[in-house]
Amino acid sequence: MKMKVIYTDNNATTQVDPAVLSEMLPYLEQYYGNPSSMHTFGGQVARKITEARAKTAALLGAKPEEILFTSCGTESDSTAIRAAIASNPDKRHIVTTRVEHPAVKNLCEQLAKGGYRITFVPVDRNGALDLDLLYKSLTNDTAIVSIMWANNETGVVFPIEEIAAEVRSRRIVFHTDAVQAVGKLPINLGKLDIDMLSLSGHKIHAPKGIGALYIRKGTKFAPFLIGGHQESGRRGGTENVASIIALGKACELAGANLHEENTRVKELRDRLENALLKKVHKAFVNGGTEKRLPNTTSIAFEYVEGEAILLMMNEFGICASSGSACTSGSLEPSHVLRAMGVPFTAAHGSIRFSLSIYNTQAEIDFIVEKLPPIIARLRELSPFWKSAVA
Amino acid sequence: MWEYTDKTKDHFLNPRNVGVVENADGVGEVGSMACGDALKLTFKLDENQRIKEAKFQTFGCASAIASSSALTEMIIGLTIEEAEKVTNEQIAQFLGGLPKEKMHCSVMGRDALEKAIACYRGEAAKKIDGEVVCECFGITDLEIKRVVLENNLATIEEVTDYVKAGGGCGKCHEKIQTIIDDLTGLQKSEKKKAAPMTNIQKIKLIEETLRREVKPALEKDGGNIELVDVDGSRVLVTLRGTCATCSKSQITLKNYVEFKLRELVADDLVVEEV
Ligand SMILES: Cc1ncc(COP(=O)(O)O)c(C=O)c1O
């Protein structure tokens, strides 16, 4: 029996849009030419890549030549940070935050072992950055500042426009991991002081395994993958043609859907959040709710453990994710929630719902109906619950 | 996503014996919310000194809840002396196995049972002896030594999977490695010492190993094993009870008995059924 799936885990990955799929399929079937070839058969593919580059640039308010296609968001992040330190070989300091995705966090920890000094800027209980500390940490030795635009776990949005301007005024390279922001927030790089920006296709209804890095014209760059002349010599390797075409289409659609993300999807998110908080005691939202992605809510259910919640929701076909330790195989709850100072008792029971334009009100109401009894049931099992409410 | 067995899922979705036994004879509480899991086990004995009722309350993931539920099912009907022999491995086996990263859930069950039994006997709850090695989870060297020995662990990751030690900041990894190295070095030298044995000594050791290590496990399934003869490196045994008719008896013999004997007596032993 196939169960209906209610998919509210769109910050993890998204459904490929049918229009995206039909755009890319011919390039896996009949048009298999190599875009670098001299013949028309390959050349027509190169033209499609040019088109995809223009569409990707358009979503960001950038110029087509500022877009580099990569294999994923992680590669974009690595490329950006490594390019900055390679082009500033005498600078040994990097500034980032305590709540970055592992794509940035683990790379910086690795670089720290190689002798780089890393400032991990802390956040407060709402997940907001300590901007004072951030600005004070900048020195002549700083090679790059890399700060995510929006947090994947809480949806909290950082004031990237302001930070970029401040960093630029000190002539330091500024990179932002915008993997979660693209398609959910309006972005106009032509007007901003951002040097590099990462995005990932599978978060915006393109397939997995395609990403892009925006590199502002004039930014010093060093390729990560050395090889052929592809991508104007900035990334060797024959292009992932079909996926690049898919990303272009997905960017076009993301621009068109931005309004819906910020109206209907946001209303669904608010409906879900408000109803759950009303029905379930001892539950709260992780992170400030004001400056937040329209599709994301992270709710802490105290005295229960996230994996147990997810597996019980799974019985109803509901897909979400958790900041709990148990789900990841690590033993400690999410570094993001811990950086915010969310108590362990609540961090273990945190569930993230991330919606998309495919969600319906009926689905949201279904979750609101099914989840509260699950929490109640798990609390009945918990040795702490009775004394907590006594 | 974890690969849980159907039995684990069943015990998670339909946990048995949830709650607290009134006027319990034994109470054991382990873990904490900060650690991510906690278990409170209570039991009551009947007039024949067998566990009549056992209940649990658990905060934790699916495998923690399933392990607790399994534990209560396993110990109901047992005497204290029998219950005392339940190992974490048996809890995991009862569920058809646990993902290795989740073995600590079965260890938590065993620990709660031990505490509850100590409580019943009026022994002061076992002091946390030894020196704290993992500060993140408060695990001592003695606790680590115990799981390493009982479960034949060889790596830091395995120790983390079983007792969580080393799963936080990672500062204690070196210390854990030293503990593992010391213990495996010890086992090796013990084995070496045991090598030049007389035949009588060898038979005695085999007998002892079967009695201590193998029999209790087989008896749990209603089976038994008798040593018939030892001929050089051949160990001749008979199987009795359900094990003899069980189609898996070859596997039981080969994998389990031989493994145990090779590990604890000599690594060239071959087990044969007669
Ligand atoms: C903020 C953020 N950065 C980077 C990534 C990595 O993207 P990818 O999976 O394409 O490597 C993700 C995806 O989980 C993310 O949420």
Side-chain angles (χ1 to χ4, degrees), chain A residues 163-219:
Chain A
I163 298 170
E166 183 68 30
V167 173
R168 155 68 53 88
S169 73
R170 324 251 182 136
R171 300 174 183 282
I172 299 169
V173 175
F174 182 73
H175 164 252
T176 182
D177 174 344
V179 166
Q180 294 294 347
V182 169
K184 297 167 199 157
L185 303 175
I187 294 175
N188 188 353
L189 292 172
K191 292 208 156 64
L192 296 174
D193 297 301
I194 293 171
D195 296 304
M196 290 187 274
L197 174 146
S198 303
L199 67 87
S200 175
H202 72 105
K203 313 288 185 180
I204 56 168
H205 307 290
K208 293 147 192 69
I210 184 71
L213 178 65
Y214 157 87
I215 308 161
R216 167 198 281 284
K217 218 175 169 171
T219 304

Side-chain angles (χ1 to χ4, degrees), chain A residues 99 123-129 151-158 269-270 273 277 283-293 296-300 334 336-343 346-347 350-352:
Chain A
V99 295
V123 296
D124 66 13
R125 189 69 172 74
N126 284 325
L129 264 189
N151 189 273
N152 45 305
E153 291 189 28
T154 59
V156 167
V157 174
F158 288 148
R269 189 272 315 270
D270 292 342
E273 186 173 278
L277 292 182
F284 59 85
V285 174
N286 289 312
T289 52
E290 206 131 284
K291 298 216 170 73
R292 194 164 48 141
L293 292 176
T296 309
T297 176
S298 165
I299 305 182
S334 127
V336 175
L337 299 182
R338 280 193 307 143
M340 290 162 58
V342 176
S350 289
I351 301 293
R352 175 190 72 187

Side-chain angles (χ1 to χ4, degrees), chain A residues 99-277:
Chain A
V99 295
E100 295 298 312
H101 186 272
V104 169
K105 177 178 164 276
N106 291 354
L107 173 62
C108 287
E109 282 169 3
Q110 180 76 24
L111 290 169
K113 287 188 192 139
Y116 278 86
R117 191 165 64 83
I118 318 282
T119 302
F120 290 98
V121 179
V123 296
D124 66 13
R125 189 69 172 74
N126 284 325
L129 264 189
D130 185 338
L131 293 181
D132 253 4
L133 199 150
L134 165 56
Y135 298 146
K136 279 195 191 119
S137 73
L138 303 175
T139 73
N140 289 335
D141 196 38
T142 309
I144 179 171
V145 176
S146 175
I147 293 178
M148 70 196 326
W149 200 315
N151 189 273
N152 45 305
E153 291 189 28
T154 59
V156 167
V157 174
F158 288 148
I160 289 301
E161 297 88 339
E162 180 197 325
I163 298 170
E166 183 68 30
V167 173
R168 155 68 53 88
S169 73
R170 324 251 182 136
R171 300 174 183 282
I172 299 169
V173 175
F174 182 73
H175 164 252
T176 182
D177 174 344
V179 166
Q180 294 294 347
V182 169
K184 297 167 199 157
L185 303 175
I187 294 175
N188 188 353
L189 292 172
K191 292 208 156 64
L192 296 174
D193 297 301
I194 293 171
D195 296 304
M196 290 187 274
L197 174 146
S198 303
L199 67 87
S200 175
H202 72 105
K203 313 288 185 180
I204 56 168
H205 307 290
K208 293 147 192 69
I210 184 71
L213 178 65
Y214 157 87
I215 308 161
R216 167 198 281 284
K217 218 175 169 171
T219 304
K220 281 197 226 158
F221 186 77
F224 183 46
L225 281 189
I226 313 255
H229 57 273
Q230 292 90 352
E231 297 292 300
S232 312
R234 294 179 298 185
R235 183 183 189 269
T238 299
E239 298 86 341
N240 183 355
V241 171
S243 292
I244 288 174
I245 291 166
L247 178 61
K249 183 69 184 175
C251 285
E252 182 185 301
L253 295 176
N257 291 331
L258 191 59
H259 179 70
E260 187 178 349
E261 285 276 354
N262 284 278
T263 51
R264 192 179 69 81
V265 175
K266 182 171 184 288
E267 280 157 25
L268 288 181
R269 189 272 315 270
D270 292 342
R271 183 184 180 92
L272 176 66
E273 186 173 278
N274 293 335
L276 288 177
L277 292 182

